[in-house]
Amino acid sequence: MLMTIIFFMVSILSSIAGSICGIGGGVIIKPVLDATGIMSVSNISFLSGCTVLAMSIVSVYKNVRAKTAKLNVRIATGLAIGAALGGVVGKSMFQMLKSAVGNEDAVGMTQAIVLIIITLGTLIYTIYKNKIQTKEYTQLWLCFIIGVLLGVMSSFLGIGGGPINLVVLAYFFSLSTKEAALSSLYIIMFSQITSLIQTCVTGTVPEVEASYLIAMVLGGILGGTLGSRVNKKIDESGVNKLFIALMVVIVGINVYNAVKFGVAF
């Protein structure tokens, strides 16, 4: 019962922050649960993905309905379709690495190191983004290719989307913080739906406690609802500050995880 409550709290708090910033929540859930050592990397990736899917569906619906930010459907859909395909590739890469290495600690260490690099890069970009000249691409073929790359990374890492989405949306398409957050959630929703379908079709659904799954999905739904409400009340400066704080914390947790998995490996 205690573990179920812990899973729920991690899920809802991560989903609130993920909904506000557009990072999905998986980039918080995955390293936090990895750090606890409660279950295998595969199980955590699955639970994280289900939570992020629930949160993203609720958040996109709430934000579009409340008109908290403008969603460029053409660009976002191009990215989302690419991300869905990339998600399939990323999931296959994860399963191949897992089978080839045969050690989940090694897989966890790899994921943690890649997350450190991505998160640090995102943090640096966010701090200096006002000094960086952005682009305004509109070509659908480019949206698709970028989406594929985003999908591969997010699915392989089991984070559902993550901070890299925001950097890409801000740099390549000159979206504001809130516009990028909404577009990111839209992309995450598509990629996670595809990832879940692939997991079910290939029969690679890990054995997890039903109570953990239910608790985390409920946390994702409630977190998405609460996060959408908060998003309407804070300005872009507030979103940026929360995002930067989260990136610092996530880097710290992933450094711990990389060392922990490395020692175990």
Side-chain angles (χ1 to χ4, degrees):
M1 183 63 182
L2 176 60
M3 292 310 305
T4 302
I5 294 173
I6 291 174
F7 273 59
F8 175 76
M9 293 306 298
V10 170
S11 173
I12 191 169
L13 292 174
S14 300
S15 295
I16 290 173
S19 177
I20 295 170
C21 298
I23 58 175
V27 72
I28 305 172
I29 295 171
K30 179 71 170 56
V32 168
L33 293 185
D34 276 344
T36 64
I38 295 172
M39 59 178 64
S40 71
V41 171
S42 298
N43 287 15
I44 291 172
S45 293
F46 176 74
L47 288 174
S48 174
C50 290
T51 305
V52 170
L53 173 58
M55 183 280 297
S56 62
I57 292 174
V58 172
S59 296
V60 169
Y61 171 74
K62 295 284 186 181
N63 281 303
V64 169
R65 186 178 178 184
K67 298 180 179 179
T68 54
K70 181 181 178 182
L71 177 67
N72 187 319
V73 178
R74 181 176 177 275
I75 290 176
T77 301
L79 287 164
I81 293 173
L85 176 60
V88 173
V89 176
K91 179 74 74 174
S92 298
M93 287 172 59
F94 174 81
Q95 293 298 332
M96 289 172 59
L97 177 63
K98 180 182 171 184
S99 299
V101 175
N103 187 311
E104 293 234 345
D105 289 323
V107 175
M109 182 179 68
T110 302
Q111 288 179 318
I113 291 172
V114 175
L115 269 173
I116 290 170
I117 296 170
I118 289 176
T119 308
L120 276 175
T122 303
L123 178 60
I124 293 169
Y125 176 87
T126 304
I127 292 172
Y128 294 102
K129 69 178 181 178
N130 291 332
K131 300 179 181 179
I132 299 173
Q133 182 67 42
T134 59
K135 310 294 183 181
E136 280 192 68
Y137 295 119
T138 58
Q139 299 94 326
L140 281 177
W141 66 268
L142 183 59
C143 293
F144 177 77
I145 292 174
I146 292 174
V148 170
L149 295 175
L150 290 175
V152 169
M153 284 189 290
S154 64
S155 184
F156 175 75
L157 296 173
I159 59 175
I164 190 64
N165 284 11
L166 300 183
V167 170
V168 168
L169 289 164
Y171 179 74
F172 288 100
F173 306 103
S174 294
L175 299 185
S176 69
T177 300
K178 286 198 173 186
E179 287 173 342
L182 177 55
S183 295
S184 176
L185 291 170
Y186 183 80
I187 294 166
I188 289 168
M189 179 177 69
F190 272 79
S191 63
Q192 285 304 300
I193 289 173
T194 306
S195 179
L196 181 60
I197 292 173
Q198 181 188 10
T199 300
C200 295
V201 170
T202 56
T204 54
V205 178
E207 292 184 9
V208 297
E209 289 282 345
S211 60
Y212 294 169
L213 177 60
I214 293 170
M216 293 195 72
V217 169
L218 285 176
I221 293 172
L222 291 173
T225 302
L226 294 173
S228 299
R229 291 179 181 177
V230 175
N231 189 270
K232 290 190 294 184
K233 298 179 180 180
I234 63 175
D235 57 17
E236 297 210 346
S237 175
V239 175
N240 280 327
K241 290 176 182 177
L242 175 61
F243 180 72
I244 289 173
L246 287 173
M247 292 305 97
V248 172
V249 172
I250 291 167
V251 168
I253 295 173
N254 278 300
V255 168
Y256 170 80
N257 285 339
V259 173
K260 179 174 73 75
F261 284 125
V263 171
F265 173 58

